[in-house]
Amino acid sequence: MKILISNDDGYQAPGIVALHDALKTIADVEVVAPEHNNSAKSNALTLHSPLYVHQAANGFRYVNGTPADCVHIALTGLLGYRPDLVVSGINNGANMGDDTIYSGTVGAAMEGYLFGIPSIAFSQVDKGWGEIESAARKARDIVQQMAAQQLVGEAPWLLNVNIPNMPFDALRPLKLCRLGRRHAAERVITQQSPRGEVMYWIGGAGPAKDAAEGTDFHATAQGHVAMTPLKVDLTDHDHLGYWAQTAARLAADPSAPV
């Protein structure tokens, strides 16, 4: 089994080091990750400036770009082969609910999925890297189980996994979940620069709005490892009928009221 590892915290982050050390015991692994922290970069690709690839002393390769850049470059020429699995993480903090839209960790895994490769994004629920070795061991077990069920290297799928910061033996079993929802983000933070200009900092994520049973928020709060299958299709299938009627009216008479 050949695995490409990436992340959004940067190639020196404890999470990617622990993930590499765990997965190298069961597969041939290569790391291609951002040079610096790229949290909340989602699926962004760098199109208007050159990208450079360097190799660290430990063999990790790092790129002056986004998580999606790293996976894209790796899969379109850098590696020279097609990996069986793309694994992103382990992120320093949760990627649950609406966070997945912004997440660079999920973005790196999604890039693998878009290339037709099974992909997993791993995150720890709390920041600070507490019990990171436990999380890496759990990630390795999940990858092993997927391979044992012959799900690796076959049809593509995309999984988002959040692991509580707990000792390995205290983690409760894997639980399949839907994404929860968050309240709106906190207010923007303003400061004055040394030159007297107003600076704006994006506020923190809001608290959980939908953390009901069945969500990733609820599962991890109970000590479970939360796994959510994701898809890329953003089509609002439930309301296609409504919009079909609206589109028909617009096509018939663009000036007609909706």
Side-chain angles (χ1 to χ4, degrees):
M1 181 165 54
K2 296 183 182 298
I3 299 177
L4 169 64
I5 299 175
S6 194
N7 74 342
D8 73 350
D9 292 314
Y11 76 100
Q12 298 184 86
I16 200 169
V17 173
L19 184 63
H20 169 268
D21 290 348
L23 293 182
K24 73 179 182 181
T25 64
I26 62 169
D28 294 330
V29 297
E30 289 202 55
V31 172
V32 182
E35 182 175 11
H36 304 295
N37 189 298
N38 271 258
S39 295
K41 290 296 179 68
S42 187
N43 302 88
L45 292 175
T46 301
L47 302 180
H48 301 292
S49 58
L51 296 169
Y52 300 93
V53 180
H54 299 282
Q55 189 160 21
N58 63 357
F60 290 8
R61 282 184 275 192
Y62 57 93
V63 181
N64 62 320
T66 68
D69 284 334
C70 296
V71 176
H72 192 100
I73 287 174
L75 298 180
T76 56
L78 181 63
L79 293 184
Y81 64 87
R82 181 182 177 87
D84 301 301
L85 181 70
V86 173
V87 180
S88 180
I90 299 170
N91 192 62
N92 184 24
N95 280 305
M96 298 189 289
D98 304 335
D99 300 347
T100 56
I101 296 294
Y102 303 100
S103 168
T105 305
V106 174
M110 190 176 291
E111 193 69 12
Y113 172 78
L114 291 173
F115 275 90
I117 299 173
S119 303
I120 311 177
F122 286 108
S123 303
Q124 280 194 294
V125 172
D126 298 318
K127 292 183 179 292
W129 309 114
E131 301 292 346
I132 186 60
E133 300 301 330
S134 170
R137 181 178 170 188
K138 176 56 69 174
R140 181 193 63 196
D141 286 356
I142 291 172
V143 169
Q144 265 188 311
Q145 290 162 359
M146 291 291 183
Q149 295 181 46
Q150 299 183 330
L151 295 173
V152 174
E154 299 297 323
W157 39 259
L158 177 60
L159 296 176
N160 185 46
V161 178
N162 284 275
I163 305 171
N165 301 55
M166 300 168 63
F168 185 83
D169 292 337
L171 288 170
R172 299 183 70 184
L174 187 75
K175 198 166 189 178
L176 186 68
C177 309
R178 64 177 175 88
L179 296 178
R181 294 297 306 274
R182 285 193 186 275
H183 282 289
E186 297 175 4
R187 287 180 57 82
V188 68
I189 300 167
T190 59
Q191 294 178 330
Q192 191 175 60
S193 76
R195 296 177 179 174
E197 300 172 315
V198 178
M199 302 184 297
Y200 295 89
W201 298 86
I202 297 295
K209 178 179 180 181
D210 177 6
E213 186 171 357
T215 66
D216 44 9
F217 289 111
H218 185 273
T220 54
Q222 302 301 312
H224 289 280
V225 176
M227 182 175 77
T228 304
L230 303 179
K231 65 178 182 178
V232 178
D233 182 2
L234 298 179
T235 305
D236 186 359
H237 291 279
D238 292 340
H239 293 92
L240 275 176
Y242 165 80
W243 287 110
Q245 297 173 20
T246 302
R249 291 195 297 269
L250 292 173
D253 182 2
S255 64
V258 177

